[in-house]
Amino acid sequence: MKSNALPLVAGLLLVVLFLGLGIWQLQRANEKQALQTEYDRRAHRSAVPLKASLQTAAEIRFHRVEAIGRYESEYQILLDNRVHRGIAGYHVLTPLRLEGSDTRVLVNRGWVPIGADRGQLPDTSIPAGLVTIAGIAIEPHARPFVLGALSPLVRESPTVWQQLDLERYADTVPFPVQPILVLLDAQNSAGGFVRAWSRLDAGIAVHHGYAFQWFTLALATLVVYVFLVRRHQRKS
């Protein structure tokens, strides 16, 4: 008799477990909603001027920022395998030397197509003189997963990387780098390419999806549990 009741107890525990996991995912979604609200609030505020001295990522990430400086083609990076409307290409990341400072900030100037020949890098020339840039400051993922070693940075020629490791970049170049990446505004005329940036997403939908899966499992388990209970009652 006890052995027959064991599946019933296990089923009930699973229902409770799945419900608990679903509720936890909804709580995570609520937490992310607060983060999304903060993303949107910062993105729609007036632009914050970047300082000539190094700042912390926490000070400026997710804010709209602006800066005056000069682009430098040295130590420019092309991020590979960036797709726009089904076409493969690169994101062009160019250091901007902040006016009156030795500090640089990396600016994502947008997307360019690969073209017919991968052996020939696209034209990513920079505008001469001072430019004023504005855009959203993001903090790239720390220590991204990369297949194989990152190619070394090359002066005077763009280096192709699969992912941006900003910490490694800052350790490699001979100048201080702000700990964020600026996504150049689509309306900004400071030497940009295709810039179809997505809204910063805190990932609320992901947690809602997981919650739905856990609640579905709880319902399915509950159906099986009720079936087993009734069968157990008939046998009693």
Side-chain angles (χ1 to χ4, degrees), residues 56-73:
T56 65
E59 287 180 79
I60 48 180
R61 63 188 176 195
F62 314 132
H63 283 283
R64 288 195 72 253
V65 297
E66 62 182 10
I68 299 174
R70 298 176 186 272
Y71 284 127
E72 296 177 330
S73 57

PDB file of all heavy atoms in Angstrom, residues 56-73:
ATOM      1  N   THR A  56      33.576  55.165 -13.960  1.00  0.00           N
ATOM      2  CA  THR A  56      33.180  53.773 -13.749  1.00  0.00           C
ATOM      3  C   THR A  56      32.012  53.461 -14.671  1.00  0.00           C
ATOM      4  O   THR A  56      31.234  54.353 -15.043  1.00  0.00           O
ATOM      5  CB  THR A  56      32.768  53.515 -12.295  1.00  0.00           C
ATOM      6  OG1 THR A  56      31.591  54.281 -11.996  1.00  0.00           O
ATOM      7  CG2 THR A  56      33.893  53.896 -11.343  1.00  0.00           C
ATOM      8  N   ALA A  57      31.879  52.193 -15.027  1.00  0.00           N
ATOM      9  CA  ALA A  57      30.778  51.802 -15.901  1.00  0.00           C
ATOM     10  C   ALA A  57      29.430  52.102 -15.255  1.00  0.00           C
ATOM     11  O   ALA A  57      28.474  52.492 -15.935  1.00  0.00           O
ATOM     12  CB  ALA A  57      30.894  50.315 -16.232  1.00  0.00           C
ATOM     13  N   ALA A  58      29.352  51.949 -13.928  1.00  0.00           N
ATOM     14  CA  ALA A  58      28.088  52.172 -13.226  1.00  0.00           C
ATOM     15  C   ALA A  58      27.619  53.621 -13.352  1.00  0.00           C
ATOM     16  O   ALA A  58      26.423  53.891 -13.317  1.00  0.00           O
ATOM     17  CB  ALA A  58      28.234  51.792 -11.755  1.00  0.00           C
ATOM     18  N   GLU A  59      28.555  54.556 -13.501  1.00  0.00           N
ATOM     19  CA  GLU A  59      28.191  55.973 -13.610  1.00  0.00           C
ATOM     20  C   GLU A  59      27.450  56.283 -14.898  1.00  0.00           C
ATOM     21  O   GLU A  59      26.562  57.137 -14.920  1.00  0.00           O
ATOM     22  CB  GLU A  59      29.447  56.851 -13.574  1.00  0.00           C
ATOM     23  CG  GLU A  59      30.147  56.988 -12.246  1.00  0.00           C
ATOM     24  CD  GLU A  59      31.358  57.890 -12.383  1.00  0.00           C
ATOM     25  OE1 GLU A  59      31.164  59.125 -12.413  1.00  0.00           O
ATOM     26  OE2 GLU A  59      32.486  57.377 -12.477  1.00  0.00           O
ATOM     27  N   ILE A  60      27.811  55.627 -15.986  1.00  0.00           N
ATOM     28  CA  ILE A  60      27.358  56.074 -17.303  1.00  0.00           C
ATOM     29  C   ILE A  60      26.630  55.018 -18.131  1.00  0.00           C
ATOM     30  O   ILE A  60      26.035  55.360 -19.153  1.00  0.00           O
ATOM     31  CB  ILE A  60      28.556  56.615 -18.118  1.00  0.00           C
ATOM     32  CG1 ILE A  60      29.740  55.639 -18.058  1.00  0.00           C
ATOM     33  CG2 ILE A  60      28.955  57.987 -17.644  1.00  0.00           C
ATOM     34  CD1 ILE A  60      30.963  56.099 -18.825  1.00  0.00           C
ATOM     35  N   ARG A  61      26.646  53.754 -17.705  1.00  0.00           N
ATOM     36  CA  ARG A  61      26.012  52.734 -18.539  1.00  0.00           C
ATOM     37  C   ARG A  61      24.505  52.980 -18.644  1.00  0.00           C
ATOM     38  O   ARG A  61      23.865  53.426 -17.697  1.00  0.00           O
ATOM     39  CB  ARG A  61      26.274  51.335 -17.980  1.00  0.00           C
ATOM     40  CG  ARG A  61      25.697  51.084 -16.606  1.00  0.00           C
ATOM     41  CD  ARG A  61      26.163  49.754 -16.066  1.00  0.00           C
ATOM     42  NE  ARG A  61      25.691  49.567 -14.704  1.00  0.00           N
ATOM     43  CZ  ARG A  61      26.165  48.651 -13.869  1.00  0.00           C
ATOM     44  NH1 ARG A  61      27.122  47.833 -14.278  1.00  0.00           N
ATOM     45  NH2 ARG A  61      25.689  48.544 -12.646  1.00  0.00           N
ATOM     46  N   PHE A  62      23.986  52.719 -19.829  1.00  0.00           N
ATOM     47  CA  PHE A  62      22.569  52.870 -20.182  1.00  0.00           C
ATOM     48  C   PHE A  62      22.128  54.327 -20.298  1.00  0.00           C
ATOM     49  O   PHE A  62      20.966  54.594 -20.608  1.00  0.00           O
ATOM     50  CB  PHE A  62      21.651  52.122 -19.204  1.00  0.00           C
ATOM     51  CG  PHE A  62      22.110  50.728 -18.886  1.00  0.00           C
ATOM     52  CD1 PHE A  62      22.177  50.272 -17.583  1.00  0.00           C
ATOM     53  CD2 PHE A  62      22.511  49.873 -19.901  1.00  0.00           C
ATOM     54  CE1 PHE A  62      22.622  48.996 -17.286  1.00  0.00           C
ATOM     55  CE2 PHE A  62      22.964  48.586 -19.615  1.00  0.00           C
ATOM     56  CZ  PHE A  62      23.016  48.150 -18.307  1.00  0.00           C
ATOM     57  N   HIS A  63      23.026  55.282 -20.045  1.00  0.00           N
ATOM     58  CA  HIS A  63      22.710  56.690 -20.252  1.00  0.00           C
ATOM     59  C   HIS A  63      22.980  57.067 -21.704  1.00  0.00           C
ATOM     60  O   HIS A  63      23.843  56.475 -22.371  1.00  0.00           O
ATOM     61  CB  HIS A  63      23.579  57.582 -19.360  1.00  0.00           C
ATOM     62  CG  HIS A  63      23.155  57.622 -17.925  1.00  0.00           C
ATOM     63  ND1 HIS A  63      22.083  58.357 -17.482  1.00  0.00           N
ATOM     64  CD2 HIS A  63      23.672  57.017 -16.825  1.00  0.00           C
ATOM     65  CE1 HIS A  63      21.953  58.216 -16.170  1.00  0.00           C
ATOM     66  NE2 HIS A  63      22.901  57.397 -15.742  1.00  0.00           N
ATOM     67  N   ARG A  64      22.274  58.075 -22.182  1.00  0.00           N
ATOM     68  CA  ARG A  64      22.702  58.731 -23.409  1.00  0.00           C
ATOM     69  C   ARG A  64      23.889  59.611 -23.047  1.00  0.00           C
ATOM     70  O   ARG A  64      23.858  60.360 -22.078  1.00  0.00           O
ATOM     71  CB  ARG A  64      21.586  59.585 -24.017  1.00  0.00           C
ATOM     72  CG  ARG A  64      20.472  58.780 -24.645  1.00  0.00           C
ATOM     73  CD  ARG A  64      19.583  59.624 -25.544  1.00  0.00           C
ATOM     74  NE  ARG A  64      20.267  59.977 -26.781  1.00  0.00           N
ATOM     75  CZ  ARG A  64      20.731  61.181 -27.077  1.00  0.00           C
ATOM     76  NH1 ARG A  64      20.604  62.172 -26.229  1.00  0.00           N
ATOM     77  NH2 ARG A  64      21.325  61.411 -28.224  1.00  0.00           N
ATOM     78  N   VAL A  65      24.955  59.486 -23.812  1.00  0.00           N
ATOM     79  CA  VAL A  65      26.158  60.257 -23.534  1.00  0.00           C
ATOM     80  C   VAL A  65      26.553  61.033 -24.784  1.00  0.00           C
ATOM     81  O   VAL A  65      26.129  60.714 -25.894  1.00  0.00           O
ATOM     82  CB  VAL A  65      27.331  59.352 -23.089  1.00  0.00           C
ATOM     83  CG1 VAL A  65      27.005  58.645 -21.780  1.00  0.00           C
ATOM     84  CG2 VAL A  65      27.669  58.328 -24.171  1.00  0.00           C
ATOM     85  N   GLU A  66      27.367  62.037 -24.590  1.00  0.00           N
ATOM     86  CA  GLU A  66      27.900  62.797 -25.715  1.00  0.00           C
ATOM     87  C   GLU A  66      29.348  63.138 -25.419  1.00  0.00           C
ATOM     88  O   GLU A  66      29.778  63.181 -24.257  1.00  0.00           O
ATOM     89  CB  GLU A  66      27.090  64.064 -25.958  1.00  0.00           C
ATOM     90  CG  GLU A  66      27.085  65.049 -24.801  1.00  0.00           C
ATOM     91  CD  GLU A  66      26.223  66.271 -25.079  1.00  0.00           C
ATOM     92  OE1 GLU A  66      25.487  66.269 -26.089  1.00  0.00           O
ATOM     93  OE2 GLU A  66      26.299  67.236 -24.276  1.00  0.00           O
ATOM     94  N   ALA A  67      30.108  63.364 -26.481  1.00  0.00           N
ATOM     95  CA  ALA A  67      31.518  63.692 -26.316  1.00  0.00           C
ATOM     96  C   ALA A  67      32.028  64.372 -27.574  1.00  0.00           C
ATOM     97  O   ALA A  67      31.498  64.179 -28.678  1.00  0.00           O
ATOM     98  CB  ALA A  67      32.338  62.431 -26.036  1.00  0.00           C
ATOM     99  N   ILE A  68      33.058  65.177 -27.395  1.00  0.00           N
ATOM    100  CA  ILE A  68      33.756  65.813 -28.509  1.00  0.00           C
ATOM    101  C   ILE A  68      35.164  65.242 -28.551  1.00  0.00           C
ATOM    102  O   ILE A  68      35.825  65.106 -27.511  1.00  0.00           O
ATOM    103  CB  ILE A  68      33.805  67.337 -28.341  1.00  0.00           C
ATOM    104  CG1 ILE A  68      32.391  67.915 -28.291  1.00  0.00           C
ATOM    105  CG2 ILE A  68      34.602  67.993 -29.473  1.00  0.00           C
ATOM    106  CD1 ILE A  68      32.344  69.399 -27.984  1.00  0.00           C
ATOM    107  N   GLY A  69      35.614  64.883 -29.727  1.00  0.00           N
ATOM    108  CA  GLY A  69      36.946  64.321 -29.847  1.00  0.00           C
ATOM    109  C   GLY A  69      37.296  64.013 -31.286  1.00  0.00           C
ATOM    110  O   GLY A  69      36.607  64.438 -32.227  1.00  0.00           O
ATOM    111  N   ARG A  70      38.348  63.270 -31.451  1.00  0.00           N
ATOM    112  CA  ARG A  70      38.821  62.889 -32.782  1.00  0.00           C
ATOM    113  C   ARG A  70      38.869  61.371 -32.891  1.00  0.00           C
ATOM    114  O   ARG A  70      39.433  60.702 -32.015  1.00  0.00           O
ATOM    115  CB  ARG A  70      40.230  63.458 -33.036  1.00  0.00           C
ATOM    116  CG  ARG A  70      40.299  64.976 -33.012  1.00  0.00           C
ATOM    117  CD  ARG A  70      41.735  65.459 -33.180  1.00  0.00           C
ATOM    118  NE  ARG A  70      41.839  66.905 -33.007  1.00  0.00           N
ATOM    119  CZ  ARG A  70      41.679  67.793 -33.985  1.00  0.00           C
ATOM    120  NH1 ARG A  70      41.440  67.370 -35.221  1.00  0.00           N
ATOM    121  NH2 ARG A  70      41.774  69.087 -33.748  1.00  0.00           N
ATOM    122  N   TYR A  71      38.288  60.845 -33.952  1.00  0.00           N
ATOM    123  CA  TYR A  71      38.411  59.418 -34.227  1.00  0.00           C
ATOM    124  C   TYR A  71      39.858  59.093 -34.570  1.00  0.00           C
ATOM    125  O   TYR A  71      40.575  59.910 -35.176  1.00  0.00           O
ATOM    126  CB  TYR A  71      37.548  59.013 -35.417  1.00  0.00           C
ATOM    127  CG  TYR A  71      36.067  58.908 -35.131  1.00  0.00           C
ATOM    128  CD1 TYR A  71      35.152  59.599 -35.915  1.00  0.00           C
ATOM    129  CD2 TYR A  71      35.584  58.100 -34.116  1.00  0.00           C
ATOM    130  CE1 TYR A  71      33.791  59.498 -35.696  1.00  0.00           C
ATOM    131  CE2 TYR A  71      34.229  57.991 -33.877  1.00  0.00           C
ATOM    132  CZ  TYR A  71      33.334  58.695 -34.671  1.00  0.00           C
ATOM    133  OH  TYR A  71      31.985  58.592 -34.444  1.00  0.00           O
ATOM    134  N   GLU A  72      40.261  57.885 -34.187  1.00  0.00           N
ATOM    135  CA  GLU A  72      41.585  57.394 -34.539  1.00  0.00           C
ATOM    136  C   GLU A  72      41.450  56.030 -35.203  1.00  0.00           C
ATOM    137  O   GLU A  72      40.823  55.126 -34.654  1.00  0.00           O
ATOM    138  CB  GLU A  72      42.462  57.294 -33.288  1.00  0.00           C
ATOM    139  CG  GLU A  72      42.726  58.642 -32.623  1.00  0.00           C
ATOM    140  CD  GLU A  72      43.541  58.531 -31.352  1.00  0.00           C
ATOM    141  OE1 GLU A  72      43.438  57.488 -30.671  1.00  0.00           O
ATOM    142  OE2 GLU A  72      44.272  59.477 -31.040  1.00  0.00           O
ATOM    143  N   SER A  73      42.032  55.903 -36.393  1.00  0.00           N
ATOM    144  CA  SER A  73      41.933  54.629 -37.104  1.00  0.00           C
ATOM    145  C   SER A  73      42.814  53.554 -36.465  1.00  0.00           C
ATOM    146  O   SER A  73      42.578  52.357 -36.650  1.00  0.00           O
ATOM    147  CB  SER A  73      42.316  54.814 -38.573  1.00  0.00           C
ATOM    148  OG  SER A  73      43.624  55.345 -38.677  1.00  0.00           O
TER     149      SER A  73
END
